[in-house]
Amino acid sequence: MVFYKTPSSVIGPGDTIIRPKDTAKLDAEAELVVVIKDRCRNVSKENAMQHVLGYTCGNDVSARDWQEADRNWWRAKSTDTFSPAGPFIVTDINPSNIRVTGRINGKEVQSETTSYLIFDIPTLVSYTSKFVTLEPGDMIATGTPSGVGYAMDPPRFLKDGDTVVCDISGIGTLSNTVRSV
């Protein structure tokens, strides 16, 4: 499934994820993020990597109760502060087999390599560019390893004061704290 995240949802390392008071099921998803280098449209899978600037860490914050209630995911995934990214864009890494790890309050909850992605990066860039013009700085999140909160037994959701970390080997560590409003 492809969905948009709004520019106002993007925050950087150390910034605060704001948990709105009317969601009870806020979740985190550690992901490798592809950063686009130049304007492109209708890119072939074979030429897709020519349009990739590099890679960074991302957290696809999701309000699962809103995701369940709404017909589309704009609110559940695009609320302000729901797209932490960073800390660096790494340009000289092979993204096909690097470890993505998610931690909450120091406890590892996700860990897998990108070799298990459902769709490889050339496929993601090519497919997306068939429908929208990609611009420099656009980011494509590649998907998350298992271990997200809603899938746990019992479910585990983010609360005020939690620290969420996305660590990707060869790229860096993205850390954000949750604050309820």
Side-chain angles (χ1 to χ4, degrees):
M1 173 172 286
V2 176
F3 53 87
Y4 285 105
K5 294 191 82 143
T6 60
S8 65
S9 72
V10 179
I11 60 173
D15 291 342
T16 302
I17 298 167
I18 302 299
R19 182 184 166 274
K21 61 183 171 189
D22 54 344
T23 181
K25 297 180 178 179
L26 194 64
D27 206 354
E29 298 181 28
E31 300 192 23
L32 174 69
V33 174
V34 178
V35 182
I36 298 301
K37 174 174 57 177
D38 53 13
R39 190 169 211 246
C40 58
R41 172 105 167 117
N42 291 316
V43 174
S44 70
K45 186 175 173 181
E46 296 72 31
N47 293 326
M49 298 307 283
Q50 296 173 22
H51 301 282
V52 173
L53 172 65
Y55 309 90
T56 196
C57 303
N59 182 351
D60 179 16
V61 177
S62 304
R64 300 298 183 191
D65 40 359
W66 295 351
Q67 193 173 347
E68 294 164 0
D70 296 348
R71 294 187 75 120
N72 69 47
W73 292 358
W74 75 270
R75 177 173 68 138
K77 292 186 170 277
S78 291
T79 293
D80 292 352
T81 76
F82 278 21
S83 301
F88 309 105
I89 299 172
V90 175
T91 59
D92 59 347
I93 193 169
N94 179 345
S96 64
N97 190 21
I98 54 178
R99 184 153 301 275
V100 177
T101 303
R103 293 182 187 85
I104 298 176
N105 300 326
K107 180 182 179 191
E108 185 176 292
V109 294
Q110 296 179 276
S111 186
E112 192 54 78
T113 68
T114 54
S115 64
Y116 287 94
L117 289 173
I118 295 171
F119 300 105
D120 64 14
I121 290 166
T123 299
L124 293 171
V125 172
S126 176
Y127 179 80
T128 304
S129 76
K130 288 185 185 336
F131 305 99
V132 296
T133 300
L134 296 172
E135 299 288 349
D138 279 353
M139 297 186 288
I140 301 173
T142 59
T144 194
S146 64
V148 293
Y150 80 94
M152 303 307 293
D153 187 22
R156 169 201 28 80
F157 296 107
L158 299 174
K159 59 188 181 315
D160 190 59
D162 283 349
T163 298
V164 182
V165 172
C166 173
D167 182 48
I168 301 181
S169 58
I171 295 177
T173 300
L174 170 67
S175 180
N176 302 90
T177 300
V178 177
R179 182 170 53 96
S180 298
V181 294

